[in-house]
Amino acid sequence: DAKTTQPTSMDCAEGRAANLPCNHSTISGNEYVYWYRQIHSQGPQYIIHGLKNNETNEMASLIITEDRKSSTLILPHATLRDTAVYYCIVTGYSGGSNYKLTFGKGTLLTVNP
Amino acid sequence: DTEVTQTPKHLVMGMTNKKSLKCEQHMGHRAMYWYKQKAKKPPELMFVYSYEKLSINESVPSRFSPECPNSSLLNLHLHALQPEDSALYLCASSQGREERNTEAFFGQGTRLTVV
């Protein structure tokens, strides 16, 4: 699976958009970009994923560059409850490994009042 | 039901004890995973089961023994653990089919303390 690079930490004001970047320059053609988050002491929570096109759901938007070497997760109106570690993961199906999720260090997003 | 249920939530065990962690899902998922997470670190993959068969073992010591008795259940048997094995153990499940790339659902974990 391709390696990802994320900033260690970011701050965001409550009510503003949070834009979390991720670099994945070695991504291959069949690999997806997934975003998960982990609020303190809880299990990771799925946010969104995409292959080439931009994606949006009720939680967030995912913008993937045309060359697919980087992406940005956007939380449109951050709240205090969005304070968490956000993980960007690149993975694809490879036989029996079933979209193996390998977590990097992630970005600690702190939403401030 | 989009829940992955892990029991127990907390477990304290001695180094000579044998205990088991349990994970259950009823979403029809055919891939199930065990992760280990130390404090302030990301989750580390331990095992992957695909259609009840072990497909990935990330060089985990034999004192951790996984078992998948059916498509809904995943166990992690623990024996002769060390204090450094104290961690949050997370279970996850996903569709597990190549043609359908979907998200993984995680349980809330079992916090294990080895004394």
Side-chain angles (χ1 to χ4, degrees), chain A residues 20-91:
Chain A
L20 291 90
C22 179
N23 286 322
H24 33 78
S25 58
T26 60
I27 190 169
S28 60
N30 66 345
E31 289 184 314
Y32 288 75
V33 180
Y34 279 82
W35 284 84
Y36 285 78
R37 72 181 183 184
Q38 189 172 24
I39 296 169
H40 182 61
S41 294
Q42 297 184 19
Q45 177 190 23
Y46 166 81
I47 302 173
I48 198 166
H49 74 280
L51 183 63
K52 297 180 193 176
N53 300 321
N54 298 338
E55 302 287 344
T56 295
N57 62 22
E58 64 278 4
M59 287 183 71
S61 294
L62 174 60
I63 308 298
I64 302 174
T65 58
E66 195 169 338
D67 63 7
R68 303 210 321 127
K69 292 185 177 182
S70 65
S71 60
T72 301
L73 177 75
I74 301 172
L75 306 179
H77 305 288
T79 70
L80 299 178
R81 288 178 296 179
D82 292 321
T83 293
V85 178
Y86 287 75
Y87 296 101
C88 168
I89 302 169
V90 170
T91 188

Side-chain angles (χ1 to χ4, degrees), chain A residues 32 34 36 38 41-46 49 87 91 93 96-105, chain B residues 31 33 35 37 42-43 45 50 55-56 58 90 96-98 100-104 106-108 111:
Chain A
Y32 288 75
Y34 279 82
Y36 285 78
Q38 189 172 24
S41 294
Q42 297 184 19
Q45 177 190 23
Y46 166 81
H49 74 280
Y87 296 101
T91 188
Y93 187 87
S97 66
N98 285 291
Y99 302 107
K100 184 170 98 169
L101 293 176
T102 302
F103 288 79
K105 295 180 181 178
Chain B
Y33 312 77
Y35 284 83
Q37 186 173 26
L45 183 65
S50 175
S55 63
I56 294 178
E58 294 284 335
L90 293 160
R97 298 194 185 108
E98 179 178 5
R100 293 197 61 188
N101 184 15
T102 61
E103 67 269 33
F106 283 80
Q108 293 305 296
R111 188 159 300 281

